[in-house]
Every structure is written in structure tokens, then in C-alpha cells.
Amino acid sequence: MNKILTYPNKILRKKAEKIETVDEILEKDVKNLVEGLKLAENGAGLAAPQIGISRSFFGLKDENKEVRVILNPMINKTWGEKVYPKMIDDKEKQEDFLEGCLSFPGFWGTVKRWLKIEVEWQELIDKKLVSKSETLEGFRAIVWQHESDHLEGILFVDHVKKDGGKFYKNIKGEMVKWSVNDVLKKGK
Ligand code: ZN
């Protein structure tokens, strides 16, 4: 099994290669990603570059911990403007949705995302690439954008920096305001 790479590992900045053919290497790579994501406690998604494979695919984990592998993803249509997503807390108050990343353990930030997107991708079924499409909303749309970014070498902290989003480090369960530039600096 491959371990999850953290920033500033250089492979996280590389554009991933499109998958054209199904072979044993691809099947092994996909299996590695599924295992990695199943073991990742807090991850809803994991992109291939995060386990050292610079190829265009990522995994998505649902509530039942089932992993679906998405190959050659594309966003074909978006609705409205990118916004800072909100969520409702247990006191029914609106609060910021914080995005995190397995390659930035302990860091969280607000990132502008589309809340509705139409996507297209391929799945590996019986050694064949099968095309699929779907319209995604809310959390599923956000995770898709985060994982697609990884395949372009774009990281959530880049958006936090560019849009001036909020950024925190979780220190023993407490969200402490943190400088995103300090974290990004390590990659320079
Ligand atoms: Zn990530």
C-alpha cells in the first residue's frame, strides 16, 4: 500500500496524466487508492497524486465507507457563482463549511466552490472504461471540485490564499487562526 503524501511533496503540484488504456498497472493503482481511502479516517476523497500516482483519477467515499473510483473527471457545467459554502450546526445556526485535505493534516479553511455542477467521468468496470455523467449538489459537488483540483496540481490552500479565505490549524481540537502563507511557504 502507498502512504498518503503531504505538502510540499512535489508530485502534488504536477498535472496528472489522462488514462487511455486499462492494464494491470492501472488496476493495481486503483486498488491502492481504494485501500488508502478506506483506511483514511477523515477523508471523503483521495486523489491519485496524493499516493504518488500522477494519473487522472480519484476516489470518493460515501457514508457507508464504500469507495467509488472516478477516472478522467470533467466538469461540464456549473450553476451560479462560486460561493463560500455554509452548513447548519446542531443549534441550527449557519456556519462556514471548512475544507480539509489529507495532504495537509490538521489544517482547515474556507474555499469558494460551485454548489451545483454537472460532471462526466469514466469508471473501471470489467477491465473497461465506462463513461458516466451526473449532476452533483452541495457536499458532493464540493468534494468533486477539491479532488479534480488535485489532478491539476491545485491545492485547497491556493484558493484560500487567492480569495482571502479563513484558515485554521486544529490544535488539540481547537481551531486556531493560522497564516496560509506560512504553510504554502514550505513548498517554495
Ligand atoms: Zn485534498
Side-chain angles (χ1 to χ4, degrees):
M1 218 204 70
N2 303 23
K3 75 170 206 251
I4 296 176
L5 305 175
T6 54
Y7 186 79
N9 193 296
K10 290 245 180 333
I11 203 164
L12 296 172
R13 285 299 189 193
K14 263 183 83 178
K15 186 175 160 60
E17 230 169 84
K18 193 175 182 231
I19 291 150
E20 312 275 5
T21 52
V22 179
D23 56 20
E24 274 171 29
I25 299 166
L26 179 67
E27 288 182 301
K28 192 172 145 260
D29 285 349
V30 164
K31 210 175 137 231
N32 263 326
L33 185 89
V34 172
E35 280 174 13
L37 183 50
K38 278 193 174 166
L39 288 174
E41 199 70 9
N42 293 314
L46 181 66
Q50 292 179 279
I51 57 164
I53 301 166
S54 193
R55 307 182 79 183
S56 182
F57 70 100
F58 58 75
L60 300 174
K61 187 160 68 178
D62 65 18
E63 314 80 56
N64 306 316
K65 311 239 175 232
E66 286 301 316
V67 173
R68 187 169 194 186
V69 178
I70 306 296
L71 297 98
N72 298 327
M74 288 206 299
I75 297 172
N76 287 338
K77 190 177 166 188
T78 61
W79 280 262
E81 299 286 315
K82 282 186 178 177
V83 294
Y84 285 117
K86 298 286 176 190
M87 52 186 277
I88 307 291
D89 71 6
D90 45 17
K91 294 180 190 85
E92 289 188 19
K93 262 173 59 190
Q94 246 200 15
E95 55 175 51
D96 295 321
F97 176 82
L98 294 178
E99 219 171 281
C101 179
L102 292 168
S103 295
F104 291 84
F107 291 101
W108 298 89
T110 58
V111 179
K112 281 185 179 175
R113 299 289 189 192
W114 287 294
L115 297 180
K116 187 176 176 185
I117 55 176
E118 188 184 281
V119 297
E120 191 186 319
W121 72 99
Q122 290 173 310
E123 274 181 42
L124 183 54
I125 300 170
D126 296 329
K127 299 183 192 291
K128 284 195 190 77
L129 295 174
V130 179
S131 294
K132 309 218 167 182
S133 67
E134 203 181 326
T135 301
L136 303 178
E137 289 184 67
F139 181 67
R140 293 176 71 216
I142 295 165
V143 177
W144 186 285
Q145 289 163 79
H146 179 112
E147 301 309 330
S148 299
D149 275 352
H150 272 298
L151 304 178
E152 303 292 331
I154 298 166
L155 303 165
F156 86 108
V157 288
D158 300 335
H159 295 296
V160 173
K161 183 183 165 143
K162 183 169 58 79
D163 297 331
K166 296 173 186 166
F167 195 61
Y168 306 94
K169 185 172 187 178
N170 184 332
I171 300 174
K172 294 177 183 160
E174 206 188 315
M175 291 293 190
V176 179
K177 272 199 181 147
W178 211 264
S179 156
V180 72
N181 286 317
D182 272 6
V183 173
L184 272 165
K185 222 163 51 189
K186 292 184 184 140
K188 295 274 155 67

